[in-house]
Amino acid sequence: MKEHILNEYTIKDIVCKTGLSAYTLRYYDKIGLMPTLKRNDKKVRIYTNEDICRLELICCLKDSGMSLKDIARFMDMCLIGKETNDEKIELLKQHKESIIKQIDSLNCSLQIVNHKINHIDDLNFK
Amino acid sequence: MKEHILNEYTIKDIVCKTGLSAYTLRYYDKIGLMPTLKRNDKKVRIYTNEDICRLELICCLKDSGMSLKDIARFMDMCLIGKETNDEKIELLKQHKESIIKQIDSLNCSLQIVNHKINHIDDLNFK
DNA sequence: ATAAGTATTAGAGTATACTCTAAGTCAAGC
DNA sequence: GCTTGACTTAGAGTATACTCTAATACTTAT
């Protein structure tokens, strides 16, 4: 397809590629998650492969518990460039710690749930 | 203290013990998460050690991604008793799978974040 | 030329999980 | 007796992340 050769995708293509809804993609643009997203002369959003990479990062950060507000801030720093590299590394390191804590917490929950499965009768009210 | 000997706690004691706010504890009661919670003659909520155990389970399920609606349904089944044991085991097994998926997803995010930390400059917009 | 299909926008609506307010009850201390 | 403080309620408000509606613009097929 034309779009693939030109490295240009419409919102519909991105819906297929990412599984995000068109509503969500427009919303992400609206709140500043895609600060460099291009438009054609008809004001239609044109996504590139780079934009797809950014969306993947956005989903990675969001799915690991970062708020969209913080992701927008991070994208702002990416827009500024190298002078924010230290700040970005610091933010990612903090987020990394948060992910590790979440994994620990989930492992703990997993143990509890396993225990409850094996002692199901203890859950019933007396 | 009197309360400890009697195995009876007011909402304030539970705030201290669990770290949940009094608002949250009342809200959990309101939406049916604590169907057997007792009141004294002044309509004041009286929590027992068993209620504290239930709150710990509620927090475990909530923190591992179960909605309060589903937790309320689970508590309803605990109220009914043994005849819902199979149903409860099924629900917990499904939740267990959900936790495992979340851990996998977080480990994946962790790898991506680690990679971004080591390639911070690639994140800057051109 | 007109209907279908895809895009745009601002802004309203929804779901979840709190969080708070206002008005009231009750017990204890001064 | 009266203030202080802890509790109660119904219901309003908040934050987050969508999700949808309505009006409009543009392209393509009949």
Side-chain angles (χ1 to χ4, degrees):
Chain A
M1 279 179 181
K2 198 175 141 197
E3 289 91 350
H4 288 78
I5 293 158
L6 289 173
N7 181 27
E8 291 190 350
Y9 310 89
T10 65
I11 205 160
K12 206 183 181 186
D13 299 321
I14 305 303
V15 168
C16 294
K17 278 181 181 280
T18 63
L20 296 169
S21 75
Y23 296 139
T24 302
L25 288 166
R26 289 194 198 101
Y27 174 65
Y28 283 2
D29 185 21
K30 182 151 71 176
I31 64 170
L33 263 45
M34 311 288 299
T36 59
L37 185 59
K38 301 236 167 7
R39 306 288 186 113
N40 67 11
D41 57 341
K42 300 290 177 291
K43 304 215 167 189
V44 170
R45 288 172 185 83
I46 303 298
Y47 291 82
T48 64
N49 284 321
E50 236 193 21
D51 291 322
I52 295 170
C53 287
R54 283 189 192 282
L55 278 171
E56 281 164 2
L57 177 60
I58 288 166
C59 289
C60 161
L61 295 174
K62 190 204 64 168
D63 292 343
S64 54
M66 194 182 285
S67 72
L68 298 186
K69 212 172 198 168
D70 285 348
I71 297 172
R73 266 189 222 117
F74 188 79
M75 290 303 165
D76 278 348
M77 288 193 268
C78 292
L79 200 59
I80 292 169
K82 284 189 185 181
E83 60 249 65
T84 61
N85 277 5
D86 288 351
E87 214 177 327
K88 288 198 287 289
I89 288 174
E90 180 55 29
L91 204 147
L92 288 180
K93 281 186 176 168
Q94 277 173 23
H95 186 60
K96 189 179 143 173
E97 290 313 309
S98 147
I99 294 174
I100 291 166
K101 271 185 197 157
Q102 288 178 68
I103 292 171
D104 287 350
S105 167
L106 284 172
N107 274 319
C108 177
S109 292
L110 191 59
Q111 276 192 24
I112 293 168
V113 170
N114 269 328
H115 185 266
K116 298 294 176 190
I117 289 171
N118 295 322
H119 299 80
I120 197 75
D121 225 40
D122 298 352
L123 289 170
N124 293 318
F125 291 95
K126 280 176 292 191
Chain B
M1 280 180 181
K2 198 176 142 196
E3 289 91 350
H4 288 78
I5 293 157
L6 290 172
N7 180 28
E8 291 191 349
Y9 309 90
T10 65
I11 204 160
K12 207 183 180 186
D13 300 320
I14 306 302
V15 167
C16 294
K17 279 181 180 280
T18 64
L20 296 169
S21 75
Y23 295 140
T24 302
L25 288 165
R26 290 193 198 103
Y27 174 65
Y28 284 2
D29 185 22
K30 182 150 71 174
I31 64 170
L33 263 45
M34 311 287 300
T36 59
L37 186 59
K38 302 234 166 9
R39 306 289 186 111
N40 67 10
D41 57 341
K42 299 293 177 287
K43 305 216 167 188
V44 171
R45 289 173 185 82
I46 303 299
Y47 292 81
T48 64
N49 284 321
E50 237 193 20
D51 291 321
I52 295 170
C53 288
R54 283 187 192 284
L55 279 171
E56 282 165 359
L57 177 60
I58 288 166
C59 289
C60 161
L61 295 174
K62 190 204 64 168
D63 292 343
S64 53
M66 193 182 286
S67 72
L68 298 185
K69 212 171 198 170
D70 285 349
I71 297 172
R73 267 189 222 117
F74 188 78
M75 290 304 166
D76 277 348
M77 289 193 268
C78 293
L79 200 57
I80 291 168
K82 285 189 185 180
E83 60 251 65
T84 61
N85 277 4
D86 289 350
E87 215 178 327
K88 288 199 287 288
I89 287 175
E90 181 55 28
L91 204 147
L92 289 180
K93 282 187 177 169
Q94 277 173 23
H95 186 60
K96 189 179 143 174
E97 291 312 310
S98 145
I99 294 174
I100 291 167
K101 272 185 196 157
Q102 288 177 68
I103 293 171
D104 288 350
S105 166
L106 285 172
N107 274 318
C108 176
S109 293
L110 191 58
Q111 276 193 24
I112 292 168
V113 170
N114 269 326
H115 185 267
K116 298 293 176 190
I117 289 171
N118 294 322
H119 299 79
I120 197 74
D121 226 39
D122 298 353
L123 289 170
N124 293 318
F125 291 96
K126 283 177 290 191

